[in-house]
Amino acid sequence: MTLALINLTKDFGEGPILQDVSVVFNPGEITCIIGPSGSGKSTLLRMLNRLEAPTRGHIMVDGEPLKETDKALQRHRARTGMVFQAFHLFNHLSVLDNCMLAPITVLKLNKTDAMQRAMGALEEVDMAGYAHRRPITLSGGQKQRVAIARALSMTPQVLLFDEPTSALDPEMVQEVLQAMRRVVAKKITMILVTHEMTFAAEIADRILFMDEGQIIEDRPGRALLDDPEHPRTRQFLKSWRGKT
Amino acid sequence: MTVMATSFGERLVNMFIDHHDLLLYGVRNTLILAIFGTIFGLLLALVLVVFRLGGFQVSSGWFRHLQKRVLKIATALYIGFFRGTPMMVQAMILYYGLQTAGVRIPVLMAGLVVVSLNTAAYLTEILKAGILSLDAGQSEAALSLGLTPGQTYRRVVFPQALRNMLPAIGNELVVNIKDTAVLSVIGVSELFFMGRRVGSASYRFTEAFVLVSILYLVLVNAAVFLLMRLTRHRKSSLPVSDSGVLV
Ligand SMILES: Nc1ncnc2c1ncn2[C@@H]1O[C@H](COP(=O)(O)OP(=O)(O)OP(=O)(O)O)[C@@H](O)[C@H]1O
Ligand SMILES: [Mg+2]
């Protein structure tokens, strides 16, 4: 699936958060997005699965504008998984049921197939042994791995990650990154907002730098980190390296 | 048997023995009104709260927008009316309204409609607070997986909000046991109404209403006890659905 935004502007009422953004995400491509806080990274990601509605401009799926009907949006979201910074696991459901809910209600799988799929996804993130646990009994890293499994159990074509390790204690970051490496190996299109520069350099086919609602720099591979062209990118990376 | 020879306590016991059929009939109707009124009220509240909150934004479009606004305003007016007027007055309006319209339904049914509508108004507000106290991330995660707004409410939002609301729903049941007494004005033969009948039949109103209040106390405390058992149970062992129980 090719996802694109065309001349997209988002305004919550206090000035544009995304300003006339145009960008294409190709199938199988792994894109990392970096940028300062408030630059619109989350808003852009949420636009891609249409959790936010554009103020102006278009969301394009395989060259066609995404239709504004409930059916079309639900179908699009079912194919576009999302992993949130704060996990958002369903607290009233077990780990397994978290991963079975959408396959059953959205894809209409029967229980056996849904369970097989959910267990498969949990195995990929090394959480199969926790299938019957309640989310609140898990550590942050474990919760995030379950959240990844929940998204994977829908066999999405695109996976959106919004700072998946930012809410974690440092010792739990690696286990989540490890789970994400497995997703990378599956050749699913990935769009990842992150502050993990080393990880971005490792996995990215392409890195974008965003500032003030615009994509300032868009470079293949790790070029943006090694050799930033735009002064604002350089400024951001310098202050970032200064901090760590 | 002379009147003076018997104590107040004995007179209560005798009155219960003589009139237990009438009084227990009143208990039965009070329970029907309170229990089913709370259940129907809750079911209606689950629908109204979606209107009240305006639902989730899925697709846009001016018709959707207008529809949502109309439903939201209508629901607000509904809640305002039922919470802002005495249930006794609501009962009178329904009763005479139906009579004027030439609709004949059993008076117990009319009473049940009033309690249900009234309960729905209160529970909608409670449910709204319960939903707003949930993390918005819960419904966003559901929507991001492709669930429809309806599925998101049924599978994710309501189960969690209702869990938190259980004490408030129980409270509504207890209130309904007592407040359905006002339905006697339209002739519903609930406990208070039957107490008055026993009083006038025996010319002993004090004893009759003391007896009635004892029966109310039994009902209310039984309800409180059962609800406490239920909520304690909830905390320890019930909470999580595993492998498709809720699905
Ligand atoms: N629903 C909303 N209503 C109003 N303003 C919003 C809303 N969502 C986001 N914003 C504003 O949009 C701006 C960009 O937010 P966004 O979350 O996209 O930034 P971000 O780049 O993800 O930042 P961070 O690194 O802190 O997560 C912020 O100033 C934020 O306050
Ligand atoms: Mg963000």
Side-chain angles (χ1 to χ4, degrees):
Chain A
M1 169 159 79
T2 306
L3 258 180
L5 302 178
I6 296 185
N7 300 119
L8 197 132
T9 295
K10 178 65 183 180
D11 191 335
F12 290 104
E14 296 141 20
I17 299 302
L18 293 178
Q19 287 190 59
D20 205 28
V21 170
S22 294
V23 60
V24 181
F25 299 99
N26 297 308
E29 200 174 43
I30 293 169
T31 307
C32 291
I33 303 176
I34 63 171
S37 181
S39 56
K41 306 182 297 296
S42 298
T43 308
L44 183 134
L45 219 53
R46 292 161 57 80
M47 197 60 75
L48 291 173
N49 71 351
R50 195 35 193 79
L51 275 181
E52 301 288 358
T55 307
R56 278 189 299 282
H58 300 282
I59 303 167
M60 308 288 282
V61 180
D62 292 329
E64 302 273 332
L66 181 59
K67 284 208 187 68
E68 275 292 320
T69 63
D70 290 3
K71 263 229 157 67
L73 295 188
Q74 278 140 22
R75 199 174 105 85
H76 178 61
R77 287 180 184 148
R79 298 194 301 169
T80 312
M82 186 151 198
V83 175
F84 302 84
Q85 180 174 348
F87 330 124
H88 300 325
L89 293 182
F90 304 130
N91 298 317
H92 62 302
L93 301 177
S94 71
V95 163
L96 181 60
D97 280 2
N98 263 273
C99 299
M100 285 172 65
L101 178 66
I104 289 175
T105 51
V106 178
L107 303 179
K108 311 288 178 211
L109 294 191
N110 66 39
K111 256 191 205 170
T112 325
D113 292 349
M115 171 132 33
Q116 207 169 4
R117 228 191 231 209
M119 286 309 289
L122 286 168
E123 258 155 40
E124 294 211 51
V125 298
D126 277 331
M127 286 299 291
Y130 295 81
H132 302 287
R133 292 274 288 268
R134 314 175 47 173
I136 61 158
T137 65
L138 304 178
S139 73
Q142 292 171 332
K143 281 183 193 165
Q144 196 59 297
R145 286 189 280 149
V146 172
I148 293 171
R150 177 174 69 180
L152 283 178
S153 66
M154 290 294 283
T155 55
Q157 300 189 21
V158 177
L159 261 182
L160 310 171
F161 291 84
D162 193 357
E163 302 195 35
T165 57
S166 296
L168 299 176
D169 292 335
E171 69 270 21
M172 293 168 184
V173 170
Q174 283 310 319
E175 65 187 62
V176 172
L177 296 184
Q178 194 52 40
M180 289 169 66
R181 285 190 186 98
R182 306 246 187 95
V183 181
V184 170
K186 292 168 79 78
K187 307 278 178 221
I188 299 174
T189 312
M190 269 171 74
I191 302 159
L192 162 65
V193 172
T194 189
H195 293 302
E196 295 285 334
M197 301 299 178
T198 324
F199 185 66
E202 173 193 329
I203 64 158
D205 296 321
R206 173 185 178 194
I207 302 178
L208 310 184
F209 172 69
M210 276 188 79
D211 197 13
E212 294 178 359
Q214 290 179 316
I215 296 172
I216 303 292
E217 197 168 339
D218 178 351
R219 305 274 298 280
R222 49 179 296 165
L224 185 136
L225 300 177
D226 296 338
D227 173 32
E229 273 170 0
H230 201 284
R232 267 144 85 184
T233 318
R234 266 185 236 143
Q235 180 63 34
F236 173 75
L237 288 174
K238 213 169 101 189
S239 67
W240 188 260
R241 292 200 174 106
K243 260 188 270 176
T244 51
Chain B
M1 183 164 69
T2 58
V3 174
M4 286 304 139
T6 52
S7 72
F8 189 76
E10 282 173 306
R11 292 205 299 277
L12 283 183
V13 173
N14 288 335
M15 181 181 273
F16 185 73
I17 292 168
D18 291 346
H19 300 290
H20 69 273
D21 49 343
L22 292 181
L23 291 167
L24 291 180
Y25 184 68
V27 166
R28 164 189 173 268
N29 286 343
T30 290
L31 282 178
I32 287 176
L33 290 167
I35 292 171
F36 288 101
T38 308
I39 292 172
F40 294 147
L42 179 60
L43 293 178
L44 184 54
L46 290 174
V47 177
L48 291 177
V49 76
V50 176
F51 297 158
R52 184 91 173 87
L53 290 170
F56 298 118
Q57 192 236 347
V58 184
S59 56
S60 38
W62 68 268
F63 181 72
R64 261 297 157 79
H65 198 70
L66 182 73
Q67 195 182 18
K68 273 185 184 172
R69 273 198 86 94
V70 169
L71 286 172
K72 197 167 176 171
I73 293 168
T75 309
L77 290 174
Y78 171 92
I79 294 170
F81 175 76
F82 278 94
R83 301 211 315 169
T85 56
M87 187 153 77
M88 193 184 274
V89 177
Q90 296 158 16
M92 294 299 244
I93 292 176
L94 183 79
Y95 183 74
Y96 288 110
L98 288 177
Q99 229 169 37
T100 312
V103 182
R104 303 202 123 266
I105 61 168
V107 73
L108 182 64
M109 193 79 88
L112 188 55
V113 169
V114 173
V115 188
S116 305
L117 294 179
N118 191 277
T119 304
Y122 283 93
L123 286 182
T124 301
E125 288 298 281
I126 293 170
L127 194 51
K128 181 184 147 206
I131 288 174
L132 291 179
S133 74
L134 288 182
D135 183 359
Q138 292 287 310
S139 48
E140 281 198 347
L143 293 171
S144 83
L145 287 161
L147 271 74
T148 64
Q151 290 167 337
T152 300
Y153 276 116
R154 281 197 303 278
R155 305 290 188 205
V156 175
V157 176
F158 288 157
Q160 297 188 57
L162 287 174
R163 242 160 254 256
N164 301 336
M165 272 177 67
L166 223 51
I169 297 170
N171 189 49
E172 203 58 30
L173 175 69
V174 168
V175 166
N176 281 342
I177 291 174
K178 294 185 291 180
D179 286 6
T180 45
V182 302
L183 296 173
S184 59
V185 293
I186 58 167
V188 178
S189 22
E190 43 65 57
L191 183 51
F192 173 81
F193 184 89
M194 297 314 276
R196 205 165 49 189
R197 258 184 71 180
V198 171
S200 41
S202 60
Y203 299 104
R204 290 193 186 282
F205 282 98
T206 311
E207 286 84 344
F209 284 117
V210 169
L211 204 48
V212 161
S213 61
I214 289 170
L215 289 170
Y216 272 119
L217 280 170
V218 170
L219 293 183
V220 165
N221 284 292
V224 168
F225 176 76
L226 288 174
L227 289 165
M228 261 170 52
R229 293 272 313 245
L230 199 69
T231 34
R232 197 156 352 126
H233 197 57
R234 170 184 75 106
K235 277 203 191 96
S236 57
S237 58
L238 248 172
V240 165
S241 151
D242 190 20
S243 63
V245 177
L246 266 184
V247 179

